[in-house]
Amino acid sequence: MLALLARHLVLLIGIWIPVSCIEQPGNYSAEDSPRFEPVPVIKPGGQVVAVALGSGGPRVFAAIGVLKALEAKGYVPDLIVGTSGGAIIGALYAAGFTPDEIEAIALETTLFELLDLVISDYGYIGGQALHGKLTRLLEGKTIESLKKPFAAVVTHVETGVMEILNRGNAALAVRASMAIPGVFLPVIIDGAHYVDGELVAPVPIRVAKQLGADVVIAVDVQARLDEAPAMPFYPPEWLSMGVLKRRLVDAEVDSTTILVQPVLSYYAGFSNQYKQSFIAAGEAAINDALPKLRELIQPEDQKTRKVNNAGRLLVRRMPPARSL
């Protein structure tokens, strides 16, 4: 609803703005341009566990709860892959933020600080505000300099195919992964247009496998179609897109996938009340996944991850060194 109001506002304002002021997507071309590169084996001889964080608008806050519960039970992934909003949470997690820290960031972030309205044929949100926020949080780092292997999934507009960004500017890769067509301006990297990866991989399970995962913990926060309100209150194109995304997710699930599907309300908002309820639902969803977690993840690897994670938390909590 907020998106529709924003679009109508932009259209009304646009009547009074000269055509020369209409926003056009800028082309990003630099040494740190987001891109895909083959990477070395993540853990030679060991089991690689990935977490695939799916799209879902504000429902992605549930992924924070999933990560909190996983760490509490000693399951820490070796690889993080994200689509759309899941890429935001995934990038922060890969950068070394704990789930509690990501939750704090989510609760202090307002929707309006992420919206920079523009007049354009391509969308009505520029994406620069989001990009700036991500750049500050990620300290301008490249994906390869993050603490854990990470990849964002995008859709290549010119070809309609999925692409993986696992190298280059992390904030820009995430911004491209969640550039919802018709809402956000597309992101142009080295002349190619990229939009939301949700169109091709709502939950990037196969991408995680392609990058070396043996087991994938897939976090699916898509809206439940059986809870959709009756039309005309529910636009038919939303239903069609929901059916398509459901099929895309189901096609990627196999015997090495641990599918985590938090129970979320159909309507999703950006208030802290919604955020906290979704995070709590994400934590609760791990209980249903525990049997398969114990079945698929090797105990010795789980123990090693728990030790490594304790070390990671200790490093993050150590006070900074002081110069004399």
Side-chain angles (χ1 to χ4, degrees), residues 110-147:
T110 67
L111 177 62
F112 294 102
E113 70 180 279
L114 302 179
L115 299 182
D116 49 329
L117 298 182
V118 297
I119 306 298
S120 173
D121 292 334
Y122 298 93
Y124 50 91
I125 301 176
Q128 290 291 350
L130 172 65
H131 189 185
K133 176 89 173 182
L134 290 170
T135 298
R136 291 189 294 273
L137 289 170
L138 299 173
E139 300 177 338
K141 292 179 180 178
T142 59
I143 294 173
E144 57 269 32
S145 66
L146 301 180
K147 295 185 177 182

Side-chain angles (χ1 to χ4, degrees), residues 234-283:
Y234 186 76
E237 59 270 23
W238 289 9
L239 180 61
S240 299
M241 181 59 72
V243 171
L244 173 61
K245 290 187 291 186
R246 181 77 273 139
R247 289 176 178 172
L248 287 172
V249 174
D250 291 345
E252 297 197 19
V253 175
D254 62 17
S255 60
T256 61
T257 303
I258 302 168
L259 191 60
V260 181
Q261 295 177 302
V263 178
L264 306 172
S265 60
Y266 178 79
Y267 288 108
F270 211 83
S271 69
N272 279 358
Q273 181 179 354
Y274 271 115
K275 294 174 187 176
Q276 290 168 327
S277 67
F278 291 161
I279 291 169
E283 288 187 79

Side-chain angles (χ1 to χ4, degrees), residues 220-243:
D220 177 14
V221 295
Q222 297 296 320
R224 295 171 180 268
L225 299 179
D226 57 345
E227 295 182 1
M231 290 187 282
F233 303 102
Y234 186 76
E237 59 270 23
W238 289 9
L239 180 61
S240 299
M241 181 59 72
V243 171

